[in-house]
Amino acid sequence: MADRVDLIKGLIMQKEIKSRSKRGDKKQASKLLAQIKKIFNDVLKEDDDNVFEGDIIRLLSSPAANSYISRNFFPQNLSEYGRYRNIIEYTSDLRLELRWMIYCLHFYSKEISTFVREREKYDDFILLNQYEEALKVVEGIEKSFGPPVKKFL
């Protein structure tokens, strides 16, 4: 339902305002996060694949909601990595879990493909003892994807 998507985005904006204001009400922000989590998990458990697809694409495309759903796949620094709370509950339904993960992977397919290509370049340079070139690849990856990806090289 499109209403759920708009509601989630609105609640996320309210939570961000509450959390960031100098007199932010942390208790209210926590309640908003609980509401976001409940509504998002209703989206996650949607039986109709077409409705789910529309909702998840809209949420992943939303700058406000994306980081809560994908857990910020490509943070630009380490402090940004842990900024977003997990709103996803395990559904105990493998089909639903895989469906959600497939949409996230599809949404980020270009970035993942770029990372894999760069990783292959890095491996080739290391095997050829071209360490300066390998370092340039790492620096390029860090610039594009942020520092946490170093642990995957």
Side-chain angles (χ1 to χ4, degrees):
M1 266 189 254
D3 296 338
R4 292 188 297 201
V5 172
D6 292 334
L7 183 56
I8 290 170
K9 291 192 293 189
L11 289 169
I12 287 171
M13 294 306 292
Q14 287 180 42
K15 183 199 172 291
E16 291 296 315
I17 291 168
K18 298 271 186 209
S19 298
R20 292 182 186 198
S21 68
K22 291 185 189 271
R23 294 186 297 174
D25 185 349
K26 303 293 183 194
K27 195 174 200 179
Q28 184 64 25
S30 179
K31 287 179 183 179
L32 287 169
L33 186 63
Q35 284 182 286
I36 293 165
K37 190 174 187 175
K38 182 196 176 308
I39 297 166
F40 176 74
N41 284 288
D42 288 344
V43 169
L44 198 64
K45 295 172 186 171
E46 174 61 53
D47 288 329
D48 185 333
D49 287 338
N50 293 326
V51 172
F52 173 80
E53 179 180 10
D55 287 353
I56 198 71
I57 295 300
R58 284 186 61 212
L59 287 168
L60 285 170
S61 298
S62 165
N66 179 292
S67 297
Y68 285 89
I69 296 165
S70 67
R71 290 293 304 240
N72 204 6
F73 276 20
F74 306 110
Q76 289 304 306
N77 58 55
L78 291 174
S79 64
E80 190 180 310
Y81 184 71
R83 180 173 162 220
Y84 299 98
R85 300 273 311 271
N86 185 10
I87 63 168
I88 300 164
E89 293 178 350
Y90 180 66
T91 64
S92 300
D93 185 336
L94 183 61
R95 183 184 70 80
L96 297 179
E97 296 294 324
L98 290 174
R99 179 180 69 175
W100 169 79
M101 186 53 64
I102 287 167
Y103 277 97
C104 284
L105 291 172
H106 179 69
F107 188 81
Y108 287 109
S109 62
K110 289 179 186 170
E111 291 88 349
I112 293 168
S113 293
T114 300
F115 179 83
V116 169
R117 280 192 304 275
E118 293 301 306
R119 169 63 196 253
E120 288 171 353
K121 284 185 200 175
Y122 169 83
D123 289 343
D124 290 345
F125 286 135
I126 291 295
L127 290 172
L128 296 170
N129 294 325
Q130 296 177 347
Y131 302 115
E132 293 294 322
E133 295 300 317
L135 182 59
K136 288 178 187 175
V137 171
V138 170
E139 289 169 350
I141 290 172
E142 187 175 84
K143 189 179 284 184
S144 297
F145 299 104
V149 298
K150 278 186 179 178
K151 63 185 170 191
F152 299 112
L153 293 175

